Amino acid sequence: MDKSRRRFLAQSAGAICAGVASATGTAQAAFLREPRELPPNAVGMLYDSTLCIGCRACVAACREANGTTPEQPEKLADWNPGIWDTAEDLSGNTLNVIRVYMDGTKENKDQEANGYAFVKRHCLHCMDPSCVSVCPVSAMRKDPDTGIVTHDPDACIGCRYCVYGCPFSVPQYQFDNPFGQIAKCQFCNHLQAKGEIPACCDVCPTGASLFGRVDALQAEAERRLAAKPGETYVFPRGLLGGDAPSHEATIPEYQPHVYGVTEGGGTQIRYLSGVPHEKLGLPKLEQHSFAQVSEGIQHTLYKGMIAPLALLGGLVVFARRSTRGHKDDEE
Ligand code: SF4
Ligand code: SF4
Ligand code: SF4
């Protein structure tokens, strides 16, 4: 095959692929259902990775508040057995974990090159949660007032659709338990019901995990982004606007984006970081949620069934009339 023919074929294939991709994007956009807004009294958390010192007090407090037990991965089983909690990721018994990003010499905190940074992993309490959308028995629910996403073990049938549907790989199934259940952070709703704040925010010594109304937390995050690096700043602790002692520190070099404002339709847990968010394991997501696509397609199909049904009904009437005509002729 000569070069010009090969180039022609390559260009044609490229044009076809681009056309298909753009048609797929357009078709997907045409199916999207309306995005979800923040509920009226949405509560959430601002996790500022630059304030986190990796002490894991939040992991211990989460265990105490939720009755889970310390975990050790098999490779560390001989290392101070039963003393150190060395959970590496979420599991059926771990609802909150601190993970570490490391690069090169690991000397510089919150820097991408030769640096390290912490990230706290738990449910992000999505504004439009796919775990709720895929659950066939409404065991996953989003509170219409506070937006907290909870799991009801009594309603759950163990299908694990939520495990596969969550874009952040949060819900975990207790495979080691014959009566296994789904486990995920419920935002300490049992403590919030008593007027308390989530245990991880209450215990955090630096204010890296800060609890509050989502709109106020977002304004706080934007204030930090607007301040000059090196400037002294008063960082609140515990509850934003509460009376826990705050602490002064300097503003770091932040990534210029609050993660969770738009990702996957938005989340009620928001993140600030010194290293790119994806380096912390926070995935790059489209602005729409998975639920907007799947429910949009479903609704369109159901709506689309009306026309074929009307046509089918018309055909049945027409066929019956024609048959009656033949019968009349025979008589
Ligand atoms: S992070 Fe996952 S489990 Fe949590 S609300 Fe979003 S979809 Fe559901
Ligand atoms: S909100 Fe409660 S359940 Fe969720 S991570 Fe914090 S302490 Fe754990
Ligand atoms: S308690 Fe606060 S500072 Fe300590 S690991 Fe948890 S989020 Fe980080």
Side-chain angles (χ1 to χ4, degrees):
M1 196 187 296
D2 66 40
K3 267 190 186 169
S4 56
R5 216 168 141 203
R6 216 179 300 148
R7 198 178 314 123
F8 169 76
L9 287 174
Q11 280 171 354
S12 309
I16 291 169
C17 289
V20 169
S22 125
T24 312
T26 316
Q28 185 173 290
F31 281 127
L32 285 184
R33 74 138 158 71
E34 287 300 300
R36 295 271 192 258
E37 301 291 326
L38 269 178
N41 290 304
V43 287
M45 186 191 302
L46 174 61
Y47 172 76
D48 187 333
S49 165
T50 69
L51 291 176
C52 182
I53 53 173
C55 66
R56 302 184 191 208
C58 53
V59 178
C62 180
R63 292 213 183 282
E64 199 180 330
N66 294 284
T68 64
T69 48
E71 260 187 40
Q72 275 181 303
E74 226 164 83
K75 65 179 184 193
L76 296 175
D78 297 335
W79 190 70
N80 290 329
I83 298 176
W84 290 103
D85 187 357
T86 44
E88 291 182 317
D89 206 349
L90 302 180
S91 74
N93 178 55
T94 297
L95 313 181
N96 165 29
V97 76
I98 295 288
R99 291 176 64 90
V100 195
Y101 160 79
M102 289 184 278
D103 179 75
T105 59
K106 314 173 191 74
E107 283 167 289
N108 310 307
K109 184 167 183 321
D110 304 309
Q111 284 182 26
E112 188 178 355
N114 290 326
Y116 67 97
F118 298 108
V119 64
K120 184 159 169 264
R121 218 167 105 58
H122 50 66
C123 177
L124 283 83
H125 299 274
C126 300
M127 283 164 59
D128 191 0
S130 35
C131 61
V132 172
S133 173
V134 297
C135 181
V137 291
S138 301
M140 285 283 186
R141 291 177 204 141
K142 184 167 178 71
D143 186 283
D145 187 41
T146 63
I148 298 173
V149 179
T150 53
H151 171 254
D152 176 1
D154 294 332
C156 181
I157 53 170
C159 67
R160 304 195 284 282
Y161 283 180
C162 57
V163 173
Y164 307 114
C166 172
F168 303 102
S169 308
V170 165
Q172 303 286 318
Y173 187 71
Q174 298 167 340
F175 283 104
D176 50 356
N177 179 348
F179 305 103
Q181 272 294 346
I182 293 292
K184 79 160 201 77
C185 154
Q186 316 257 51
F187 214 22
C188 284
N189 61 336
H190 61 304
L191 298 182
Q192 290 197 52
K194 293 191 279 180
E196 296 173 30
I197 68 172
C200 55
C201 298
D202 194 30
V203 78
C204 180
T206 64
S209 290
L210 183 66
F211 176 73
R213 285 182 59 103
V214 176
D215 45 8
L217 292 171
Q218 180 62 27
E220 170 66 23
E222 285 167 12
R223 262 195 301 280
R224 293 181 195 181
L225 290 187
K228 280 205 184 80
E231 194 178 290
T232 305
Y233 193 90
V234 178
F235 290 94
R237 280 188 50 239
L239 166 69
L240 181 60
D243 52 14
S246 48
H247 71 107
E248 272 190 11
T250 51
I251 288 285
E253 291 269 3
Y254 284 117
Q255 292 292 315
H257 173 62
V258 185
Y259 187 95
V261 177
T262 54
E263 283 78 9
T267 62
Q268 291 184 209
I269 307 298
R270 305 275 162 99
Y271 292 81
L272 283 176
S273 165
V275 304
H277 295 108
E278 61 272 20
K279 299 277 177 188
L280 297 182
L282 294 164
K284 274 194 172 164
L285 295 174
E286 300 278 352
Q287 295 205 355
H288 56 255
S289 66
F290 290 178
Q292 261 179 280
V293 181
S294 58
E295 287 176 23
I297 291 174
Q298 257 176 30
H299 293 171
T300 311
L301 284 180
Y302 287 137
K303 240 196 284 171
M305 287 296 282
I306 294 168
L309 280 175
L311 179 65
L312 182 66
L315 285 172
V316 170
V317 171
F318 178 73
R320 285 187 61 149
R321 279 201 187 145
S322 308
T323 318
R324 202 184 307 141
H326 280 304
K327 276 193 183 155
D328 292 347
D329 290 346
E330 282 163 15
E331 281 162 11

